[in-house]
Amino acid sequence: MIKVLHIVGRMNKGGTETMLMNIYRNINREKLQFDFLVHGDGDGYYDNEIRKLGGNIIKINRPKEVGLKESVEQISDVIRNNGPYQAVHAHTLFNSGIAMIAAKKNNIDIRISHAHTTLNNEEGLKRKIYIAIMRYFINKNSTKLLACSKKAGIYMFGKKAISNKKYMYFQNLIDYKNIFSYSPKFVEEFKRDNNLDESIVIGHIGTFNEAKNQKFLLEIIKFLKGKNCDIKLLLIGDGIMRKELEDIIKEYDISENVILTGIRDDVNNLLHCMDVFVFPSIYEGLGLVLLEAQSAGLPCIISEAIQDEADLKVGLFNRLNLSDGVEAWANKILELKDTPRLSSKDIKEALRENEYTTEQCISKLLKIYEV
């Protein structure tokens, strides 16, 4: 059996982690197995499922807790004690440089650094120096540089690197078949139980943090409520900003207009409860949930931070700048609320044309792993 070590922060229900699980569930695990090296002591959302599928969750310290040298040693210990590994595949932004040093030190032939975002919020002088050093180690020690979008690749590897033969655009994948097989009965009952039948339902899925910009969504709801619109917002997810968002909801007096669902396993059903999907990210690698929203036939209103690669080119992408302001975004929602749903046939064809199907992505990844 061939084994690959994925290096992540923690296997919570974020875009990168969900993509990895979509791959993991669909590979032939009798021939290829994944282990997941995670940082910190906490448990991840997907940990139990990973163990049931035959993978290992291996925990080490965060680099900022122990330093560069000790981080390299801890990863090296994992490689020696849990391998042999055909490949080491790092998803930890610039900390991937540490993983690549360890992988090369331990004679791993296939060493992959994977870019999933276009920015982070730590751009002080110390951080810039760290980025420059880690980018050097990433480009020097990786045998393959993958990115979910061109801008993500430039951000992590630098402009020169994306013309290197090691660089490859790797499409994210979603479980689109699950989205097509939603339950109409669930949708009917959920809308009835939450008084959504007569409302305009805005949807958003994402970790509650500054980058996803849920505060802007609450401003939109406040504005539309002030215009006497029957508006509801489904906020699917959780995160460090939950308490702050709850306080804003109370301050804006929009408690009856916002439904905080928490982290859900039935996103395929919830997408079909929405009229418009709104995604006002401040920065974003790709936006995996946008592929899911389009697969459900939803019109999407997106910020300038969203990459072109996330567009299935079926007429559902509507781009606005955050600087256009709340009123412009609210008006676009009202304009799109009655958009007819596309057929699943048209969406499937778009997914195939853009190489976002599970089969296409796994085939490409198996070639990278040389399986």
Side-chain angles (χ1 to χ4, degrees), residues 27-240:
I27 60 174
N28 183 344
R29 292 184 298 279
E30 293 182 357
K31 293 183 178 180
L32 175 63
Q33 243 322 330
F34 289 170
D35 285 345
F36 296 84
L37 186 155
V38 303
H39 295 80
D41 293 329
D43 294 326
Y45 181 87
Y46 289 120
D47 286 4
N48 288 336
E49 182 182 357
I50 288 168
R51 294 186 183 102
K52 288 178 182 177
L53 293 175
N56 296 311
I57 300 290
I58 308 158
K59 299 179 181 181
I60 64 170
N61 296 107
R62 297 180 181 90
K64 65 180 180 181
E65 296 171 345
V66 296
L68 174 61
K69 185 178 179 180
E70 178 61 22
S71 289
V72 171
E73 287 306 311
Q74 289 190 11
I75 296 172
S76 294
D77 286 343
V78 170
I79 292 171
R80 287 191 294 264
N81 295 333
N82 296 274
Y85 291 111
Q86 175 102 337
V88 170
H89 192 160
H91 308 269
T92 46
L93 196 56
F94 293 106
N95 285 342
S96 297
I98 301 171
M100 294 300 100
I101 294 171
K104 187 172 185 180
K105 179 181 177 181
N106 288 276
N107 301 311
I108 302 297
D109 291 332
I110 302 170
R111 305 181 297 273
I112 305 162
S113 294
H114 202 147
H116 295 280
T117 190
T118 56
L119 191 65
N120 65 34
N121 58 359
E122 301 179 55
E123 296 295 344
L125 178 60
K126 186 176 179 181
R127 178 66 178 173
K128 288 180 180 178
I129 293 171
Y130 182 79
I131 286 173
I133 294 170
M134 287 296 106
R135 184 178 284 146
Y136 168 78
F137 285 128
I138 287 168
N139 289 325
K140 179 183 178 182
N141 296 310
S142 303
T143 60
K144 187 68 71 176
L145 306 172
L146 305 185
C148 66
S149 69
K150 182 179 179 180
K151 287 185 179 180
I154 291 172
Y155 177 63
M156 185 162 168
F157 311 127
K159 288 183 179 180
K160 290 183 179 179
I162 66 168
S163 60
N164 191 299
K165 63 180 181 180
K166 294 194 291 186
Y167 174 81
M168 177 184 291
Y169 166 53
F170 186 83
Q171 292 91 334
N172 285 349
L173 76 158
I174 60 169
D175 188 3
Y176 67 91
K177 294 178 182 177
N178 187 43
I179 293 171
F180 292 152
S181 62
Y182 75 100
S183 166
K185 182 180 178 182
F186 172 94
V187 172
E188 179 184 349
E189 291 176 351
F190 184 87
K191 294 183 79 168
R192 183 189 65 230
D193 293 344
N194 290 279
N195 299 314
L196 302 180
D197 286 319
E198 303 300 325
S199 301
I200 303 167
V201 183
I202 302 171
H204 182 273
I205 303 169
T207 304
F208 292 175
N209 59 28
E210 291 287 351
K212 298 299 183 188
N213 204 16
Q214 285 94 354
K215 289 190 283 188
F216 188 72
L217 289 169
L218 298 181
E219 291 179 28
I220 293 172
I221 297 300
K222 179 185 177 184
F223 177 86
L224 287 170
K225 181 184 178 182
K227 296 293 183 180
N228 296 316
C229 293
D230 186 355
I231 192 84
K232 296 288 174 60
L233 171 63
L234 284 184
L235 275 182
I236 302 170
D238 209 340
I240 58 173

Side-chain angles (χ1 to χ4, degrees), residues 340-358:
R341 297 277 173 138
L342 292 178
S343 71
S344 59
K345 179 182 177 181
D346 290 337
I347 294 168
K348 286 178 185 176
E349 183 59 32
L351 287 164
R352 279 193 292 270
E353 287 180 2
N354 290 279
E355 298 185 358
Y356 277 121
T357 68
T358 303

